[in-house]
């Protein structure tokens, strides 16, 4: 197992990875739990950020030790991991907490889920955001996470302000509110991943992409500039590895061979440019590193199931 600062991803490579990371909300919720209550949440096919705004209690993920919740505790729950939130009445002699199924009591209002367990003033108040953090269809950064990440922030970090602002954007439903809320969530993700450089909790090892700095460097080369004339040899050189060792390690870490990942990254860039309607298709072909329109179209159809011109029309 890789441990210690010497094997962590460099700040420069992490910066490039963060700049090209796409973050979007799957759902956003306020969870309120009164004293003596337990809020049960079933598995959701997306990682979740759970930020405790006030109060104290526990977040318990099935199969893991209880996580103590204090103000500004942040927990990232892996995808498909059932968990429960317990208010602090347990420490006051309340052995039998009343359990509420969160998926049954969730109420959607103004694009926000409100999930309440109990009556009166809540003992614990969390903002919970379920999200995707991806590099196109190629890599889901949190997709391989199997155990929770726990970090204690403080008021000066202003993560609560960012998450409350994201809720406010979704409530207003103004033009660009979805993009703004996703941008605010990305700020939270950036704050978390910054800690991978110096946190005493060596949770960076739980990210397959980040725990191998050499492969992370090669991936950052592709993600930050997918249209460059990358080859297996040039990427292996950037990772300071031989070709065969690079191919094996990249496939093991990322889950796909490097050229497959590069194709998907290029197609993400192409899709973004096609959606604007401003860039001629021939220019999109050149920007994404393809020598001919026909080879570009074949790759695009393989990823999106349609020709580039059809895609542009369907997203206009």
């Amino acid at each position: 197992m890789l441990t210690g600062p010497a094997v962590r991803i460099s700040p420069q490579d992490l910066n490039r990875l963060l700049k090209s990371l796409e973050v979007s909300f799957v759902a956003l919720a306020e969870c309120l739990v009164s004293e003596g209550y337990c809020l049960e949440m079933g598995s959701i096919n997306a990682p979740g950020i759970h930020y405790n705004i006030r109060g104290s209690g526990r977040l318990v993920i099935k199969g893991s030790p209880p996580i103590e919740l204090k103000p500004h505790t942040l927990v990232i729950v892996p995808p498909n991991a059932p968990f429960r939130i317990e208010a602090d009445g347990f420490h006051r002699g309340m052995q039998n907490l009343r359990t509420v199924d969160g998926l049954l009591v969730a109420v959607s209002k103004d694009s926000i889920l409100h999930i309440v367990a109990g009556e009166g003033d809540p003992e614990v108040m969390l903002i919970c955001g379920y999200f995707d953090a991806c590099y196109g269809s190629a890599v889901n950064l949190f997709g391989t996470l199997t155990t929770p990440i726990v970090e204690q922030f403080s008021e000066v970090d202003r993560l609560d302000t960012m998450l409350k602002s994201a809720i406010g954007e979704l409530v207003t439903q103004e033009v660009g509110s979805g993009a703004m809320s996703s941008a605010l969530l990305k700020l939270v993700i950036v704050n978390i991943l910054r800690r991978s450089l110096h946190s005493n909790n060596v949770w960076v090892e739980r990210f397959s992409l980040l725990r191998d700095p050499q492969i992370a460097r090669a991936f950052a080369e592709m993600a930050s500039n997918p249209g460059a004339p990358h080859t297996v040899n040039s990427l292996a050189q950037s990772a300071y590895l031989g070709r065969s060792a690079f191919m094996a390690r990249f496939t093991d870490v990322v889950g796909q061979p490097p050229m497959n990942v590069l194709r998907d990254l290029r197609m993400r860039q192409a899709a973004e440019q096609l959606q604007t309607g401003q860039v001629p298709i021939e220019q999109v072909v050149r920007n994404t590193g393809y020598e001919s329109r026909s080879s570009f179209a074949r790759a695009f159809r393989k990823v999106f199931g349609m020709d580039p011109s059809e895609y542009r029309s369907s997203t206009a």
Side-chain angles (χ1 to χ4, degrees), residues 121-240:
D121 291 335
E123 174 70 22
V124 181
M125 177 184 295
L126 296 98
I127 295 178
C128 303
Y130 296 92
F131 65 97
D132 284 323
C134 302
Y135 296 93
S137 61
V139 175
N140 185 327
L141 186 59
F142 291 80
T144 58
L145 192 67
T146 57
T147 55
I149 292 171
V150 183
E151 284 287 338
Q152 185 62 45
F153 289 87
S154 67
E155 187 174 356
V156 298
D157 294 308
R158 301 182 65 248
L159 266 66
D160 56 336
T161 302
M162 297 175 198
L163 289 167
K164 288 176 182 176
S165 296
I167 287 177
E169 285 290 335
L170 291 177
V171 168
T172 61
Q173 288 294 290
E174 293 185 7
V175 173
S177 62
M180 182 63 80
S181 61
S182 293
L184 289 163
L185 177 60
K186 183 171 181 177
L187 288 176
V188 176
I189 298 290
V190 168
N191 272 278
I192 298 165
L193 293 179
R194 276 177 176 171
R195 294 208 170 185
S196 70
L197 298 174
H198 53 74
S199 175
N200 291 328
N201 302 319
V202 196
W203 48 258
V204 66
E205 294 177 7
R206 301 174 202 172
F207 293 91
S208 59
L209 180 60
L210 301 186
R211 70 171 176 247
D212 189 325
Q214 290 171 284
I215 298 304
R217 182 180 300 115
F219 186 89
E221 290 279 351
M222 292 192 291
S224 60
N225 188 8
H230 301 295
T231 64
V232 172
N233 287 336
S234 69
L235 293 168
Q237 289 172 7
S238 72
Y240 305 108

Side-chain angles (χ1 to χ4, degrees), residues 18-50:
L18 290 176
K19 285 177 66 177
S20 50
L21 182 66
E22 289 182 344
V23 177
S24 58
F25 273 114
V26 173
L28 190 58
E30 285 185 315
C31 293
L32 311 177
V33 186
S34 297
E35 181 178 319
Y37 279 81
C38 169
L39 179 62
E40 290 272 6
M41 297 295 294
S43 62
I44 295 176
N45 189 26
I49 286 180
H50 305 275

